[in-house]
Amino acid sequence: AKVAGKNCYRFYSRAMDLAVERRVNLEHELRGAWDRGELSLVYQPVYRLADRTMVGAEALLRWNHPRHGQVAPSVFIDVAEQSGLIETLGPQVLRAACSEAVRWQQLRPSAEPLSVAVNVSSRQLRSGGELVQVVADCLRDTGLEPERLHLELTETAVIGDEVHASEMLAQLRETGIKVLLDDFGTGFSGLSHLRRVPVDGVKIDRSFIADILRDPDDLALTSAIIAMAHSLGITVIAEGVEKAGQYALLRERGCDQAQGYWLGQPVPANEFLALLG
Ligand code: C2E
Ligand code: CA
Ligand code: CA
Ligand code: CA
């Protein structure tokens, strides 16, 4: 057993070296990826449940690596956060998404304005005043109406340092933008948390939506989130709607908005424009 243990150790150690090496390479390659045009945004439509009208889209980052092809966002976003690259990448993403949203409005000036949701990492939130300045500059330079920009922050990012986070969120909301709590329900923060953190909306994590048709507990939890959020005047968005039945049930339970493969896949900017056509 001892010998096997030793071999195991060696094996894991080598595997770890490889993982570290790959990470270092990815970090190096990610550094110039935006300028080389390897990074782009896709847009996933968000619908109002009551009348199935599109009300906006979430911008999601994609990395088309010259050798590896599409790199999973969970992998490269993590690399960007750990390395600090997110502090240059984040503002670039924000600008690109806001400019795109201005284009949507130019294309259909008399239609109901569409919002654009942009994911913000916990590291960007921690950079504090900088983020508020980045958002204010972006709104000024692109001319996007502030209320059409929605920033998505994960529940866990906000829990870490509640006092600081609440202050940041208050400052962000003073610019007129809306703040959404992403992956809601996964952070174990409990519903009471909503009272103390100033947000405009919550996005129920897709792990809860996945089973609402079969699991009464997941449905009960989802319904409780909707009721609690509404009592506080907070909008509720369901993620990961993959079936007509989920859509119908969420609508019946009074959920406000939804996104998911059943409603629309994330698509490149030009395809999203065509959807509006
Ligand atoms: P997220 O913010 O929770 O984004 C939703 C994810 O669910 C996206 O994965 C989307 O493609 C996927 N999705 C949408 N509808 C469905 C569905 O019906 N079923 C299933 N199974 N999945 C669905 P994606 O694009 O791989 O992004 C993963 C995560 O990477 C995002 O999770 C977000 O946390 C992060 N991310 C993506 N773009 C950015 C970015 O620009 N900045 C930051 N900081 N994070 C980003
Ligand atoms: Ca999100
Ligand atoms: Ca989410
Ligand atoms: Ca998620």
Side-chain angles (χ1 to χ4, degrees):
K2 257 193 178 148
V3 175
K6 213 171 168 189
N7 285 342
C8 268
Y9 175 76
R10 265 198 210 120
F11 172 76
Y12 284 129
S13 157
R14 266 193 57 206
M16 254 165 63
D17 285 349
L18 282 175
V20 169
E21 195 184 306
R22 250 201 91 200
R23 245 191 119 79
V24 171
N25 277 338
L26 276 186
E27 184 187 324
H28 177 72
E29 291 162 344
L30 187 55
R31 206 162 282 278
W34 182 275
D35 292 333
R36 289 193 300 273
E38 296 166 12
L39 291 164
S40 62
L41 289 170
V42 289
Y43 297 88
Q44 183 175 36
V46 178
Y47 289 84
R48 182 162 55 220
L49 280 158
D51 57 2
R52 212 194 291 178
T53 298
M54 196 199 291
V55 290
E58 177 176 6
L60 295 157
L61 195 56
R62 292 290 177 264
W63 184 12
N64 189 8
H65 188 284
R67 276 175 297 114
H68 308 309
Q70 291 292 332
V71 184
S74 55
V75 172
F76 75 81
I77 296 288
D78 193 50
V79 169
E81 280 189 27
Q82 302 291 329
S83 62
L85 269 174
I86 197 76
E87 281 171 45
T88 45
L89 205 49
Q92 287 168 322
V93 164
L94 188 68
R95 254 164 211 276
C98 290
S99 310
E100 202 54 39
V102 168
R103 216 160 292 151
W104 303 337
Q105 207 51 34
Q106 286 164 347
L107 197 76
R108 19 172 272 168
S110 53
E112 198 180 324
L114 297 172
S115 59
V116 66
V118 178
N119 292 284
V120 171
S121 82
S122 53
R123 182 148 181 167
Q124 288 174 274
L125 187 67
R126 266 184 275 122
S127 77
E130 238 171 86
L131 179 60
V132 179
Q133 195 56 51
V134 163
V135 167
D137 289 350
C138 180
L139 292 171
R140 187 198 58 216
D141 295 347
T142 62
L144 182 71
E145 295 95 330
E147 67 274 14
R148 292 180 50 208
L149 174 60
H150 299 181
L151 290 191
E152 299 193 1
L153 298 151
T154 62
E155 198 186 358
T156 37
V158 173
I159 297 160
D161 185 351
E162 206 173 88
V163 176
H164 172 72
S166 297
E167 171 60 24
M168 287 310 316
L169 298 195
Q171 283 186 35
L172 281 170
R173 290 171 90 213
E174 267 169 40
T175 67
I177 67 156
K178 297 198 187 305
V179 173
L180 311 180
L181 222 44
D182 205 354
D183 302 344
F184 191 75
T186 59
F188 306 104
S189 63
L191 291 169
S192 62
H193 198 77
L194 279 185
R195 269 191 306 127
R196 280 171 284 140
V197 183
V199 296
D200 301 281
V202 294
K203 297 189 82 170
I204 305 179
D205 192 70
R206 71 176 134 87
S207 59
F208 294 102
I209 305 304
D211 268 345
I212 50 168
L213 292 173
R214 275 179 313 199
D215 187 338
D217 293 338
D218 284 3
L219 180 59
L221 203 89
T222 298
S223 302
I225 292 174
I226 295 168
M228 173 81 172
H230 282 173
S231 74
L232 296 167
I234 294 170
T235 301
V236 185
I237 303 135
E239 295 189 318
V241 173
E242 296 182 349
K243 298 184 189 107
Q246 292 167 329
Y247 184 95
L249 189 50
L250 287 163
R251 181 180 163 163
E252 181 203 303
R253 296 294 164 123
C255 184
D256 303 292
Q257 298 170 8
Q259 68 187 94
Y261 295 160
W262 184 72
L263 289 157
Q265 300 265 346
V267 293
N270 57 337
E271 278 180 50
F272 187 77
L273 276 178
L275 275 181
L276 304 180

